[in-house]
Amino acid sequence: MSSTDPAPDLDAGIQYWANQPANYDGVLGGFGTGPLPRVDAAGSRRFLLDLLPELCTVPSPFQSLSTHPSDTKRVRALDVGAGVGRITSDVLLHLVSDVALVEPVESFIEEARSRGKASESGAEFNESGYRVSWKGIADRSKSVTFFKGALQTFDPAAPGTPLDRVGCLPPDGDGNTESKFDVIWCQWCLGHLKDDDLVRFLERSKMALRDAKSLIVVKENLCAEPKNEPTTVFDEEDSSFTRSDLAFKKIFQDAGLEIVCEKIQHGLPNGLYPVKMYAPVISLNFLSVLTRI
Ligand code: SAH
């Protein structure tokens, strides 16, 4: 690719999303009211549970009755390019105890915040009229912290001052904003970063992972690879890249990450790009700490 080829522009990308409705249809390109959100969330939960089976809330029949690992440790996730908080509410809060979300578009993060606040107060609907009930927020067993920002500059290890928080105050108090993450979830937003910005964001994310068992999840559309080489297609409408499988693999390699698991998301409506989930980790030592895969 030459330096004159079109590439994502931060402001043009934000401008595009700021003109979309702040709801599931808006963040999912009009697929918010069909089966896509449920199929996507089910596939995501399954992917995460395969990698981190201890997040399962149903006790395993193979587990000793005297151990309850999920009772002892709080698990933190970061939802990047979070839109209106769809993945936070439909995937992450079902499996982890604390979520931080980062989103640059004002109307989206305000909608996410309003859904979180309504959940906290036990209301059935938020002020936009959406039925909400974020798990663990009304009973204050879980928390969601909101950060406004773009991935080009956001540092997961030092996210700065949060816009707000709902649910419990995590046991480590405000230090929570500086803590590390067990899971960093990146879905349908990495196309807004040029290759070098994306490598740098993944390098910063790597530094923000808690330990050898922590992981990044990348769930993105894939374009075709007619020449069997890394391929990137620019979309002028939203100023974003769609990358091919080999393009993502090159980026992970450049960021010093190794893929521990990759899976196609099946069951999405016809006519869309194929969607793939990758779990890049710091080192394949991850495999040796897995109890099951
Ligand atoms: N991940 C969410 C939202 C997908 S829509 C979901 O799956 O429901 C794409 C999201 O990327 C929008 O919320 C948009 O505002 C966000 N986005 C666009 N440019 C971004 C950037 N530079 N940094 C972070 N997020 C960005």
Side-chain angles (χ1 to χ4, degrees), residues 15-71:
Q15 181 71 34
Y16 169 83
W17 288 106
N19 284 314
Q20 304 306 310
N23 56 30
Y24 278 21
D25 252 348
V27 294
L28 296 174
F31 285 90
T33 44
L36 187 144
R38 279 192 304 278
V39 171
D40 171 62
S44 297
R45 287 199 221 173
R46 180 67 212 262
F47 186 73
L48 204 48
L49 281 173
D50 277 349
L51 288 161
L52 301 175
E54 67 275 26
L55 298 185
C56 187
T57 46
V58 182
S60 158
F62 304 111
Q63 190 177 302
S64 144
L65 288 175
S66 59
T67 54
H68 302 282
S70 50
D71 290 350

Side-chain angles (χ1 to χ4, degrees), residues 19 42 52 80 97 100 117 130 172 194 202 228 246 273 279 288:
N19 284 314
L52 301 175
V80 309
S97 30
K117 288 279 180 208
Y130 289 94
D172 54 351
K194 297 176 193 150
L202 290 172
N228 282 328
L246 287 176
Y273 279 120
S288 64

